[in-house]
Amino acid sequence: MGITIAVIAVIAIAALWAVSLYNRLVSRRNLVKEAWSGIDVSLKKRYDLIPNLVETVKGYAAHEKTALENVTRYRTASMQANSPQDKIQAENNLSRALGSLIAVAENYPDLKASTNFLQLQDELSAIENNLESARRYYNGTVRENNILVESFPSNIVAGMFGFKTSVFFEIDNPVHRERPNVSFQ
């Protein structure tokens, strides 16, 4: 009788432990999803601002067609990307294209002095700062999720219920990790 109670107690403790781990895994997965939605909000603001920025530059720099087309093409590709991996790659391309567009603006003093362009530049800067914070939060939640999914013994429960590691939002080319020095002064 005493052995039966001990076995039942061990099974009950193991079950509670497994339920607790499962709930932590679900929590981490939802935090990753929440963090990704924060990135999506910042990206949506960025996507909405880009056409205004392109039109403003287009008015001053009509012959800079390639830079304008690249921004538009990469914006569309980024908006259509579905998976985090595709979105990360598309965003890296869009960031490079935006950097080129801003560099084009450096060659046009009237454009740099335009109130509309300055306002758009300030909005883009604020959005980029929000996006940087959202990426940092996302990567932190991915780190915590991945540790839990990959660590023993939680990896057993994660494997049983199909929990997967998430992808970090990283810059793919080390040269692009350096923040460009952009000045509108």
Side-chain angles (χ1 to χ4, degrees):
M1 183 79 160
I3 294 175
T4 306
I5 292 174
V7 169
I8 291 172
V10 168
I11 291 172
I13 290 171
L16 287 173
W17 171 80
V19 167
S20 173
L21 270 178
Y22 178 84
N23 288 339
R24 285 181 51 209
L25 286 161
V26 169
S27 174
R28 295 285 195 253
R29 181 178 59 196
N30 287 332
L31 285 172
V32 169
K33 288 178 182 179
E34 173 200 14
W36 186 256
S37 79
I39 289 175
D40 268 348
V41 167
S42 293
L43 292 177
K44 171 78 169 96
K45 289 178 184 178
R46 187 186 199 197
Y47 301 151
D48 291 345
L49 179 67
I50 288 171
N52 295 330
L53 187 62
V54 167
E55 286 302 314
T56 301
V57 173
K58 193 185 291 185
Y60 286 88
H63 66 281
E64 303 288 354
K65 187 176 180 182
T66 304
L68 297 169
E69 288 173 350
N70 284 342
V71 169
T72 302
R73 183 175 69 246
Y74 290 134
R75 174 185 176 263
T76 301
S78 188
M79 290 175 67
Q80 293 173 346
N82 292 322
S83 71
Q85 296 89 338
D86 293 342
K87 182 73 82 173
I88 290 166
Q89 179 62 44
E91 280 303 311
N92 286 332
N93 291 335
L94 179 58
S95 292
R96 285 191 292 277
L98 278 173
S100 296
L101 182 66
I102 299 302
V104 164
E106 285 294 313
N107 297 324
Y108 298 91
D110 290 343
L111 174 59
K112 289 190 325 186
S114 164
T115 305
N116 190 27
F117 182 75
L118 291 175
Q119 180 183 3
L120 291 170
Q121 185 269 330
D122 287 344
E123 288 179 40
L124 182 61
S125 179
I127 290 169
E128 292 297 329
N129 288 337
N130 288 339
L131 192 52
E132 180 182 344
S133 295
R135 285 176 181 161
R136 194 174 302 123
Y137 175 67
Y138 172 78
N139 283 340
T141 61
V142 165
R143 180 191 65 239
E144 295 299 318
N145 178 67
N146 291 354
I147 289 170
L148 191 59
V149 168
E150 295 175 337
S151 297
F152 181 81
S154 59
N155 63 342
I156 296 169
V157 175
M160 288 173 36
F161 292 101
F163 287 91
K164 305 277 186 221
T165 57
S166 299
V167 178
F168 287 99
F169 201 132
E170 297 178 315
I171 296 175
D172 59 347
N173 186 335
V175 173
H176 299 130
R177 292 179 194 267
E178 299 173 16
R179 188 173 189 142
N181 186 14
V182 178
S183 172
F184 293 97
Q185 306 291 321

